[in-house]
Amino acid sequence: MIPSNKNTFSRRSFLKSSALAGGGMIIGFNLFNACRFDVKPSIDLSQLNYNDFNAFIKISPEGKVTIFSPNPEIGQGVKTSMPMIIAEELEVAWDDVYVVQAPLDTKNYTRQVAGGSQSIRHGWTALRQTGATAKQMLVNAAAAKWGVEASECTVKNGVITNAKGETLGYGDVVSEAAVLEVPENVTLKDPKDFTIIGQGKGNVDIDRIITGKPLFGLDYKVDGMLYASVLRPPAFGQVLDSYDASAAKSLPGVVDVITIGKKVREFQEAGKNNWTMQISSSDKVVVIAKTTWDAFKGKKALKATWKTDTPLESTEKHDEILLDLLNGKDFNTRRKDGDVKKAFAKADKVIERIYESPFLPHNTLEPMNFFANVTDDKVELVGPVQTPQAAQTVVAELLGRDIETVHLDMTRMGGGFGRRLYGDFVYEAAEISDAIRKPIKMVSSREDDMTTGVYRPAIKYKIAASIKDGKLTGYHLKEAAANSNMYGLIPHFFPAGAIENYQVDTANYQSNITTGAWRAPYTNFLASAEQSFFDEIAEALGVDRVKLHMDLLDNVKMNPEPNIEYDPERLQNVLQLAVKKSNWGKTEAGVYQGLSVYYCHNTHVAEVADITMENGVPIVKKVTCAIDCGIVVNPLGAINQAKGGILDGIGHALYSDFGFIDGIPQSNNFNSYQLIRMGQTPKVDIHFIESDIDPTGLGEPTLPPVGAAVANAIYKATGKRLTKQPYMSNLNVEEKVLG
């Protein structure tokens, strides 16, 4: 059903509630210039005489529309899709729209965060209201100029037409409209009338990206800026004991060597350990230099000794602790339906498996970096961070400043995946600049990122199911993790509500290895574990995998109070679409298929993986994916997001491994840590369920299911159930890298 398009929109809420999404870097160029042979110079937006229409929209007398995008852009496409939403309701031609990154502005914008695939979902209604309200004000101004009723006017491509056929462009009335009363009620368009939403639009930053223009944090420079490289403890659990900087200081280009850490320690000791910090309390040695390379060489020349502050941990010890937790009794029960113990006691058969995943780094293409310039009057911060407001708040407290004096501007990010939710690199930059009172950019190397960062926690799941009289009667999920508090809504995801006796328990231990959100938090490995286990359940029951899921989802629909977060019918729809589009069960000889269906981050996804065996090695040839994410704002961007999640999920499930010995990471660059290679990427077919339901996220939901789809296909090919990632290591095969 299409919800009512009538919305009450108060003057008080207009600016603030209309700012729930977006993201990007300050630019302004015609969207399709990069695709044309006769490229015209981009318009210099600074030379246009704009009227500040509201916090989101500026319109010039020439009729050019600039839309400000408040949320961080990490490659998920919000800088393109969010302005599309405003432009749709504003009724302007997309070719006349220019997109500019808004600064951090907590007065006019809310939720300036990139994370959880929530930007479009949270911004959908407010951004539509922003555009519709501005359009109504422009129409009201034109109507007043003509002396007619606003209801007699129509709008198309930024041109207002009255009943007599007379026309006025937005630029003709913007000055009058900008001072009108904000309408209390606006009418939103029926989705069937959309002309921009639902059309594939190219990335608004593509011109700068492909031509190498300044756009990302690493590109940012100011006159007189210095560069900083930070020497952090080599092992988690160590702190600085002493250091010798004489060799570093003698190198050309090195300006100074200092230590930082005191302010962070005081902050933490005061009990203000903000969740975004994830930063060691040890002192750190910082080399200040004229170039990044000079700073890196200076850090390499440092001689430091470290002492053990807390026990040093190894992967082998982690595994023992997690297994002990799984087999112990110290659990928090997150959900309990019926009586699992009784169901297991009466069962004809009980299936049980333990699934294991390693710590994983984020490996963003752009290493951590941030600019800071601390003066007596203000603190200027510029760079790539997913949580700008939190970073601003912590810096103000760290430096003892009024928050109004801390200004933060966002650049485009070369990847985030959750790593840039944590502002440790921002706080280091601020503390360095505060110490030397000069503008600096803190830049991490790839080795810094991989060995002193934040990691996906190592997790083990124990899943058990009971079968009685050919039916699934009980299901018990246990999770054991390091530092995990990411239980969220997992207890209410599938199969919650589908099985009479259902229980979810969790346990964790505190590790001194910093852990945090990693792409598709909560579910990135859980989906692989559960959907692999359901493949085994179907086999034990002797039923088709598709039928098992359809029947279980029918159970949910008959349950009057299932207390679930997913929609069983929407999950059935994606399952049926994936089965149809993948030619499930009807492939040619030598092609093995695996299925996975999952809900997370408010989106329903089903995936089928096709593999072949070549010289004893499984090769993923194709993945067919069906998605219900509601209305698809930008199909071109949506397909790219869905494909990216699938390829990322395949790569980490098959190849990526990361471990520690005595607190020291055992990989520090891509020569020892494998990401998916070009020659290993399969064909990916994406299919969306047509919908008029409000949109949900896409940056994360396609990643979790694909690991199980691949594992289930490998089982059909080899007869081996895969329970430990990375799967290739546990198949004991070596794959020849192609390309």
Side-chain angles (χ1 to χ4, degrees), residues 55 86 182 288 332 545 557 582 661:
I86 296 176
V182 177
I288 313 295
N332 292 312
R545 173 68 190 276
K557 291 194 287 188
S582 67
I661 295 178

Side-chain angles (χ1 to χ4, degrees), residues 142-160:
K145 211 167 192 177
W146 284 319
V148 301
E149 292 294 323
S151 59
E152 299 176 16
C153 302
T154 59
V155 184
K156 184 176 181 180
N157 292 337
V159 177
I160 307 164

Side-chain angles (χ1 to χ4, degrees), residues 227-348:
Y227 294 83
S229 183
V230 181
L231 180 66
R232 305 174 184 90
F236 289 89
Q238 288 185 331
V239 295
L240 182 67
D241 186 21
S242 63
Y243 72 98
D244 180 355
S246 55
K249 287 182 176 181
S250 68
L251 293 175
V254 172
V255 175
D256 200 359
V257 177
I258 66 170
T259 60
I260 60 169
K262 181 180 178 182
K263 291 184 181 296
V264 169
R265 228 173 8 261
E266 291 174 345
F267 188 87
Q268 293 173 334
E269 289 169 356
K272 300 178 181 179
N273 196 6
N274 184 284
W275 72 272
T276 68
M277 294 197 74
Q278 292 291 56
I279 190 168
S280 169
S281 60
S282 170
D283 281 340
K284 304 172 189 70
V285 188
V286 183
V287 176
I288 313 295
K290 294 180 180 179
T291 70
T292 304
W293 185 238
D294 290 336
F296 283 177
K297 288 193 295 183
K299 184 176 70 171
K300 192 173 182 179
L302 290 171
K303 296 178 181 178
T305 59
W306 309 87
K307 59 184 179 182
T308 300
D309 188 38
T310 58
L312 303 179
E313 302 176 45
S314 297
T315 299
E316 185 177 342
K317 182 63 176 176
H318 278 293
D319 287 342
E320 293 176 3
I321 294 172
L322 293 178
L323 284 173
D324 287 345
L325 285 173
L326 280 183
N327 295 319
K329 298 181 180 180
D330 187 16
F331 277 89
N332 292 312
T333 297
R334 305 290 172 173
R335 176 166 177 156
K336 185 176 182 180
D337 299 344
D339 192 329
V340 168
K341 287 185 178 179
K342 186 180 289 186
F344 284 11
K346 293 181 177 181
D348 298 326

Side-chain angles (χ1 to χ4, degrees), residues 294-618:
D294 290 336
F296 283 177
K297 288 193 295 183
K299 184 176 70 171
K300 192 173 182 179
L302 290 171
K303 296 178 181 178
T305 59
W306 309 87
K307 59 184 179 182
T308 300
D309 188 38
T310 58
L312 303 179
E313 302 176 45
S314 297
T315 299
E316 185 177 342
K317 182 63 176 176
H318 278 293
D319 287 342
E320 293 176 3
I321 294 172
L322 293 178
L323 284 173
D324 287 345
L325 285 173
L326 280 183
N327 295 319
K329 298 181 180 180
D330 187 16
F331 277 89
N332 292 312
T333 297
R334 305 290 172 173
R335 176 166 177 156
K336 185 176 182 180
D337 299 344
D339 192 329
V340 168
K341 287 185 178 179
K342 186 180 289 186
F344 284 11
K346 293 181 177 181
D348 298 326
K349 184 177 184 179
V350 173
I351 309 169
E352 183 177 282
R353 287 281 187 186
I354 291 177
Y355 296 86
E356 307 171 72
S357 66
F359 288 98
L360 288 180
H362 294 80
N363 291 321
T364 61
L365 182 62
E366 179 190 20
M368 300 305 107
N369 66 91
F370 224 80
F371 170 85
N373 185 17
V374 179
T375 67
D376 291 341
D377 299 324
K378 66 177 183 178
V379 178
E380 182 185 3
L381 304 168
V382 184
V385 63
Q386 292 178 243
T387 49
Q389 184 177 351
Q392 177 196 47
T393 302
V394 173
V395 167
E397 293 196 40
L398 275 177
L399 303 185
R401 300 297 189 94
D402 291 334
I403 197 166
E404 290 79 11
T405 67
V406 180
H407 304 275
L408 190 150
D409 286 331
M410 294 169 280
T411 63
R412 191 179 179 98
M413 288 174 248
F417 312 121
R419 175 62 183 93
R420 287 187 161 98
L421 289 171
Y422 307 98
D424 48 295
F425 45 93
V426 184
Y427 314 138
E428 288 179 344
E431 191 172 357
I432 294 166
S433 182
D434 184 55
I436 67 173
R437 289 304 173 101
K438 293 180 180 179
I440 65 98
K441 183 190 288 185
M442 191 289 297
V443 181
S444 290
S445 66
R446 175 65 59 197
E447 289 80 3
D448 292 332
D449 265 1
M450 289 191 71
T451 60
T452 62
V454 178
Y455 307 91
R456 182 185 80 171
I459 294 179
K460 295 187 191 300
Y461 293 107
K462 179 187 283 188
I463 313 178
S466 59
I467 296 172
K468 176 69 175 178
D469 298 330
K471 294 183 179 180
L472 179 60
T473 59
Y475 186 92
H476 192 188
L477 169 69
K478 285 186 174 182
E479 177 194 87
N483 299 337
S484 179
N485 60 355
M486 296 184 182
Y487 307 115
L489 303 174
I490 289 173
H492 310 303
F493 290 177
F494 182 84
I499 303 169
E500 182 179 359
N501 303 293
Y502 171 78
Q503 186 167 328
V504 177
D505 295 328
T506 60
N508 73 88
Y509 80 97
Q510 295 304 305
S511 168
N512 53 36
I513 296 172
T514 52
T515 61
W518 189 91
R519 190 173 189 176
Y522 318 133
T523 59
N524 48 59
F525 178 62
L526 176 61
S528 288
E530 288 199 293
Q531 287 298 301
S532 295
F533 191 65
F534 268 98
D535 210 61
E536 193 165 354
I537 291 173
E539 184 179 53
L541 289 170
V543 299
D544 177 73
R545 173 68 190 276
V546 176
K547 178 174 170 40
L548 173 63
H549 263 77
M550 293 297 289
D551 289 347
L552 288 172
L553 291 167
D554 281 339
N555 290 346
V556 181
K557 291 194 287 188
M558 292 185 291
N559 186 341
E561 296 180 5
N563 185 22
I564 57 172
E565 294 295 328
Y566 61 95
D567 184 314
E569 186 170 351
R570 295 175 77 178
L571 211 51
Q572 285 180 325
N573 290 342
V574 293
L575 175 56
Q576 291 172 322
L577 182 59
V579 166
K580 177 182 177 181
K581 295 296 185 180
S582 67
N583 202 26
W584 172 258
K586 301 175 184 177
T587 56
E588 61 188 50
V591 177
Y592 305 91
Q593 291 185 309
L595 173 70
S596 181
V597 55
Y598 204 69
Y599 165 91
C600 66
H601 298 87
N602 311 107
T603 294
H604 303 75
V605 177
E607 295 171 351
V608 174
D610 292 6
I611 73 157
T612 59
M613 297 298 293
E614 300 179 15
N615 299 319
V617 176

